[in-house]
Amino acid sequence: MDLTPVDWQMWIVAALVLGALEIKLSGFVTLWFAIGALVSALAAAVGLGINGQLLLFIAVSTALFAASRTIFKEAFMRTASPLKMGVEAMVGQEAVVTEALADPHGGTVRINGELWTARSLSGPVAEGERVTVEQVDGLKLWVRRPSASLEIPAHKKKENA
């Protein structure tokens, strides 16, 4: 009885080790190499030489690794909306007026626990009222009452420009 391992058995061991690493790690990286090792094991079982096995392992693993981003993006991210961060995320959120917003200087609002200088697009707003952030201009927020019309008064358009 010959106990010397043959090529296909070595590829199976490599696939099992890589598969075990994939379970331990979280990144879908070694999975592709495990599949490449399984394909090479099949090639070795049908008699392909070691150079062909290595070439097949590299080709399959590289192709799967390169395609994995596209595969996962199409499968899992098709309905995802882009993540907004920083000041972009403030547009559309509610803020509370902490210092009355009066023309021409504006006042202060609290949003996400931070105080911001704000100007009103819908006339004077009293302290304690809720407003919606319409745009961010440097370190100044342009806000309006949620029930206010979406039309910007003509004199506000000139100031904003």
Side-chain angles (χ1 to χ4, degrees):
M1 175 181 210
D2 185 19
L3 295 177
T4 307
V6 290
D7 292 348
W8 70 269
Q9 291 169 329
M10 297 302 284
W11 283 114
I12 293 292
V13 169
L16 290 173
V17 168
L18 290 166
L21 279 174
E22 181 60 42
I23 291 170
K24 184 69 176 162
L25 304 174
S26 61
F28 283 114
V29 176
T30 58
L31 173 67
W32 311 129
F33 295 103
I35 293 171
L38 285 175
V39 170
S40 293
L42 288 173
V46 297
L48 189 64
I50 189 68
N51 289 337
Q53 295 169 29
L54 287 172
L55 186 61
L56 190 60
F57 171 74
I58 292 169
V60 169
S61 299
T62 304
L64 288 173
F65 184 75
S68 65
R69 175 168 164 73
T70 305
I71 292 167
F72 285 120
K73 187 175 180 183
E74 288 296 319
F76 299 116
M77 302 296 288
R78 122 181 26 163
T79 60
S81 61
L83 182 63
K84 292 182 181 179
M85 298 179 69
V87 293
E88 282 182 349
M90 283 195 246
V91 175
Q93 285 190 349
E94 276 194 354
V96 177
V97 178
T98 57
E99 181 185 320
L101 304 179
D103 287 335
H105 303 293
T108 308
V109 297
R110 181 178 302 275
I111 182 168
N112 298 331
E114 298 176 341
L115 293 175
W116 284 76
T117 303
R119 302 277 311 267
S120 174
L121 294 170
S122 57
V125 181
E127 184 177 333
E129 283 192 58
R130 293 195 177 277
V131 290
T132 303
V133 177
E134 293 295 323
Q135 73 183 62
V136 180
D137 183 21
L139 295 176
K140 185 187 318 173
L141 302 179
W142 288 87
V143 298
R144 78 173 70 248
R145 287 185 187 96
S147 60
S149 156
L150 292 178
E151 283 297 315
I152 299 173
H155 70 279
K156 297 291 184 192
K157 286 183 183 176
K158 290 176 189 172
E159 287 177 12
N160 195 15

